[in-house]
Amino acid sequence: MDRKPILMVSSTVYGHEEELEVIYTLLTKFNYEVWMSHKGTTPVFSNNSAFQNCLEAVKKCDLFLGIITPEYGSGLEPGELSITHREMKEAIKLDKPRWFLAHDKVVFARAFLNDLGYRTFEQRKELTLKEKSKTISDLRVIQMYEDATIQSVGEEERQGNWVQKYNSVAAMNLFVHAQFSKYEDMLLRLDEYFKNIAQVKKKLNDQEGS
C-alpha cells in the first residue's frame, strides 16, 4: 500500500469526547489516516446528507473500528436506526476488516434481558425505557451489539464476530494499542485482504463472461 491506511472510527459522541480524543491520538500516532466525525476528519460533500456522507466513508475506508456505547445516537427520523448503527451495519455488509468495542453496560443489559425471557429484538419491543434512562439510552444498543456479534446466523457460520467488552478508557486504549500498534503487520494483512478481493472479483467476472 502506497498510502496510509484509512481507519474509520464509528461511535456516538455525546458524553464520550474524552475517549474519542485519546483513541484519535493513538491511531494517528500509529500512522493511520483516521476518519472520525468528532474530529471533523470524515470527508463530507455539500450535496450529500450527513447519513450519505457517513455511508460513503464506510465504503471508502480500509479499516473500521465501531464503538458501541450505552448511548444510541441520533437517526434521520424518529424510530429509524441511528447513523452510527447504520455505519456499523454497512461495514458488516461490506465485510470490511473491522473491530468492535462494546461497553460493559450494553453487554450486561443484553444478558439480563435474556435471563428475563426477552431474547430477541421483537420480544424487546414490548419494553419501554424510562425517559433519560441512566443505564442505556435505547434498547437498540443491544441490537447493535447483536449485529456486531452476528447473532443472526449459527455459531459455526460466524466470521468477524469478535466484540471486545470495555468498562474504562484504559481498557479501550489497551485494545486499540494491541490491535493497531503493529503497523507493518497491518499493512501485510491489508495487502492480503485486497488480493483476496481482487481474486473474487476476477472469478465473478470470468463466470459472467463464460
Side-chain angles (χ1 to χ4, degrees):
M1 180 173 282
D2 56 2
R3 57 172 174 79
K4 291 182 179 181
I6 299 168
L7 200 166
M8 182 173 178
V9 179
S10 175
S11 171
T12 53
V13 175
Y14 182 72
H16 301 280
E17 294 87 350
E18 178 188 350
E19 296 102 301
L20 293 174
E21 289 284 346
V22 174
I23 287 174
Y24 182 84
T25 301
L26 270 177
L27 292 174
T28 51
K29 179 182 176 183
F30 295 151
N31 210 32
Y32 296 94
E33 179 178 344
V34 182
W35 287 358
M36 181 187 285
S37 59
H38 169 61
K39 297 295 290 183
T41 54
T42 302
V44 296
F45 299 94
S46 58
N47 58 332
N48 286 345
S49 67
F51 172 59
Q52 288 170 328
N53 280 319
C54 289
L55 282 195
E56 281 299 310
V58 177
K59 291 174 183 175
K60 293 177 180 177
C61 72
D62 301 309
L63 309 163
F64 184 91
L65 173 61
I67 304 172
I68 304 169
T69 74
E71 286 71 45
Y72 184 62
S74 59
L76 301 179
E77 298 290 342
E80 288 194 2
L81 299 182
S82 71
I83 291 177
T84 302
H85 194 168
R86 294 183 187 206
E87 288 172 351
M88 293 182 184
K89 288 178 75 70
E90 185 72 8
I92 294 166
K93 184 180 83 172
L94 296 173
D95 199 21
K96 290 282 179 176
R98 60 191 182 272
W99 294 258
F100 285 101
L101 281 155
H103 196 281
D104 135 286
K105 286 183 180 179
V106 176
V107 180
F108 174 79
R110 178 177 182 269
F112 184 64
L113 290 180
N114 281 354
D115 287 345
L116 290 175
Y118 297 96
R119 303 187 63 85
T120 68
F121 173 69
E122 291 301 319
Q123 291 171 333
R124 292 192 293 267
K125 281 184 176 179
E126 303 173 20
L127 304 174
T128 304
L129 292 176
K130 290 171 59 178
E131 189 176 352
K132 297 181 180 179
S133 172
K134 296 185 182 301
T135 307
I136 57 175
S137 69
D138 191 305
L139 288 172
R140 286 174 294 179
V141 298
I142 297 173
Q143 187 183 353
M144 291 172 74
Y145 177 80
E146 290 175 342
D147 286 340
T149 52
I150 316 181
Q151 295 293 315
S152 59
V153 301
E155 188 71 39
E156 293 182 359
E157 299 175 64
R158 294 181 199 168
Q159 287 185 328
N161 62 321
W162 180 271
V163 177
Q164 180 66 33
K165 184 172 70 172
Y166 77 94
N167 58 10
S168 66
V169 177
M172 294 176 81
N173 293 348
L174 179 62
F175 179 77
V176 170
H177 191 281
Q179 301 304 317
F180 299 105
S181 62
K182 298 179 178 64
Y183 184 73
E184 297 299 328
D185 287 348
M186 185 63 76
L187 290 181
L188 291 173
R189 292 171 65 185
L190 264 179
D191 283 342
E192 187 64 29
Y193 170 77
F194 288 126
K195 284 178 185 175
N196 289 339
I197 288 179
Q199 289 170 358
V200 170
K201 286 182 177 178
K202 184 178 183 304
K203 184 175 180 181
L204 290 173
N205 289 334
D206 290 345
Q207 289 173 348
E208 289 175 0
S210 61

